[in-house]
Amino acid sequence: MARKVVFSGVQPSGGLTIGNYIGAIKNFVDLQDSYDCYYCIVDLHAITIPQVPKDLRKNTLEVLATYLASGLDPKKCTLFIQSHVEAHAELTWVLNSISYMGQLNRMTQYKEKSRKSEENLNAALFTYPVLMAADILMYQTEFVPVGDDQKQHLELARDLAERFNNRYSETFKVPEPLIQQFGARIMDLQNPGDKMSKSNQNENSYILMLDDPDTIRRKIRRAITDSIGEVIYTDDQPGIKNLMNIYNAFSGDSIDAIEDRYRGLGYGKFKDDVAEVIISGLKPIQERYIELMDNKDYLETVYRQGAEKAQFTAMKTLRKVYRKVGFIQK
Ligand code: AQP
């Protein structure tokens, strides 16, 4: 029986944070044995914010190396670079034609990002979720493992699939988000009301997957908590709750077990241990990453073969879409 399809992607817009790892990449690895997984490096998405071309090239290879170092296996899943499969941009155009401005205007990510870059309010930032819908629908995706922040975009992808199917007959599978119970939204260490983001200007607000042990210890020590002094999983203590989610993701220990272990011990020991579980969780990934970045030929083989496979599936969908909307076959 054909395996169900999973699709997801990460933007090469800077060094990846432990938010990207916990909310997305770690789950990608767990899914590759049971599903037909397509994992993309979404460089078309990255240019919705100004990028320095040489950094974009470097970041793209770095995301690929991070995927592989985290345990993604190109024999089990398809790893590719979005711009290598032209069908993504083509399907976006068709989906733009059934997307409503009003719905795109309500996207919170657009509102937040446009507030941050008022001088660069480009049209691509506005249609970003349509490109994301094209990415997902292209592969007849069943499940999309994403962080909580992408829920609204997933809803749009579902709407567009249904709208297209209703207008032109059954074409797209309607995808479901896969959002985990804990760690779906890792928060900013300096401002636990906001999501941890790689493009934040304050480097103490995030931990990068490639941060060295001393940097991780320093950033965790500086993480904002509260004056309550109890390690309890509650919305009233967002900083502590966030550190507990991080601890849980790296150690596998349950939230209850973490509460029990640190009862009455204050925050010092807890923070030290949070830093240590992150350091030991990231160590093998960092070691493998260095080896991979030294082997550019291997990275090139992986992304070329991945694009070939993705292209084959993508073209099947695009041809069907073009036929349904009334384009003459070439
Ligand atoms: N803080 C987070 N907690 C949980 N999941 C997260 N993700 C991102 N941040 C967190 C998930 O990572 C995947 C890839 O995200 P992305 O890089 O494509 O875009 P993003 O969500 O915009 O991530 P950033 O770090 O905030 O990037 P910038 O700063 O460039 O905008 C997604 O599944 C996302 O949910």
Side-chain angles (χ1 to χ4, degrees):
M1 218 174 67
R3 295 198 299 176
K4 291 186 172 164
V5 177
V6 161
F7 176 93
S8 201
V10 172
Q11 292 187 76
S13 46
L16 300 189
T17 70
I18 56 168
N20 297 124
Y21 178 67
I22 298 170
I25 298 174
K26 191 164 165 284
N27 305 320
F28 296 180
V29 179
D30 294 338
L31 295 164
Q32 67 179 342
D33 287 315
S34 322
Y35 295 91
D36 184 12
C37 298
Y38 290 81
Y39 296 128
C40 190
I41 301 150
V42 291
D43 52 354
L44 297 178
H45 281 278
I47 61 163
T48 54
I49 300 289
Q51 302 288 339
V52 177
K54 79 171 175 13
D55 291 347
L56 182 59
R57 272 190 288 275
K58 182 169 155 281
N59 289 336
T60 302
L61 280 189
E62 286 180 0
V63 175
L64 178 62
T66 306
Y67 274 174
L68 294 163
S70 302
L72 290 178
D73 178 350
K75 292 196 195 76
K76 294 182 181 170
C77 59
T78 308
L79 303 174
F80 68 105
I81 297 170
Q82 188 184 27
S83 62
H84 291 183
V85 180
E86 295 84 350
H88 287 249
E90 294 185 57
L91 181 58
T92 302
W93 185 252
V94 176
L95 295 181
N96 268 334
S97 73
I98 58 162
S99 299
Y100 300 134
M101 302 284 282
Q103 191 172 13
L104 295 181
N105 230 343
R106 288 196 293 278
M107 295 291 144
T108 44
Q109 181 176 293
Y110 169 70
K111 286 190 204 158
E112 279 165 18
K113 290 202 170 174
S114 56
R115 231 190 343 261
K116 280 188 205 155
S117 54
E118 271 170 1
E119 73 293 350
N120 173 51
L121 214 44
N122 64 70
L125 196 58
F126 188 67
T127 56
Y128 177 114
V130 186
L131 174 59
M132 182 166 155
D135 300 339
I136 295 166
L137 302 183
M138 186 80 80
Y139 298 95
Q140 304 299 342
T141 301
E142 197 101 17
F143 298 115
V144 189
V146 280
D148 184 60
D149 58 315
Q150 296 297 332
K151 219 167 166 177
Q152 196 184 25
H153 290 166
L154 237 298
E155 207 42 59
L156 178 86
R158 288 170 56 82
D159 286 352
L160 291 178
E162 280 166 359
R163 198 171 301 151
F164 190 97
N165 290 348
N166 287 336
R167 192 174 296 183
Y168 297 107
S169 82
E170 201 63 24
T171 307
F172 295 120
K173 194 150 263 167
V174 181
E176 300 279 346
L178 269 189
I179 297 175
Q180 51 188 334
Q181 190 189 357
F182 300 110
R185 189 180 288 242
I186 297 300
M187 309 310 279
D188 183 321
L189 297 176
Q190 292 301 312
N191 180 7
D194 287 348
K195 166 184 104 130
M196 181 182 286
S197 232
K198 55 175 122 64
S199 56
N200 196 311
Q201 298 301 318
N202 178 357
E203 60 169 38
N204 285 320
S205 72
Y206 53 71
I207 290 178
L208 295 176
M209 290 181 70
L210 298 178
D211 273 346
D212 62 64
D214 283 343
T215 306
I216 295 174
R217 289 188 190 105
R218 180 171 40 80
K219 288 181 177 178
I220 292 292
R221 232 175 280 132
R222 288 188 186 167
I224 299 292
T225 52
D226 52 63
S227 55
I228 297 170
E230 292 288 345
V231 178
I232 297 175
Y233 196 77
T234 161
D235 289 339
D236 298 335
Q237 294 173 247
I240 286 295
K241 182 178 173 182
N242 190 37
L243 293 179
M244 291 176 83
N245 278 329
I246 295 172
Y247 192 117
N248 160 268
F250 279 101
S251 68
D253 295 349
S254 72
I255 296 293
D256 287 347
I258 299 169
E259 273 185 2
D260 286 347
R261 187 169 312 145
Y262 296 98
R263 185 160 296 124
L265 296 183
Y267 293 156
K269 166 86 175 121
F270 173 60
K271 278 186 160 182
D272 288 348
D273 289 357
V274 172
E276 296 313 314
V277 292
I278 301 172
I279 292 165
S280 56
L282 291 180
K283 188 167 180 261
I285 299 176
Q286 294 179 344
E287 286 169 357
R288 180 83 186 109
Y289 171 88
I290 291 167
E291 287 167 19
L292 285 158
M293 285 304 283
D294 253 357
N295 192 349
K296 297 280 173 8
D297 289 347
Y298 174 66
L299 295 179
E300 188 176 331
T301 308
V302 171
Y303 70 66
R304 280 188 193 280
Q305 287 178 352
E308 222 171 278
K309 176 152 180 261
Q311 172 92 357
F312 180 80
T313 316
M315 286 313 293
K316 271 208 285 200
T317 301
L318 191 71
R319 275 195 297 271
K320 203 176 193 187
V321 167
Y322 275 11
R323 199 174 59 242
K324 298 226 178 166
V325 300
F327 295 162
I328 290 178
Q329 227 178 323
K330 63 177 176 183

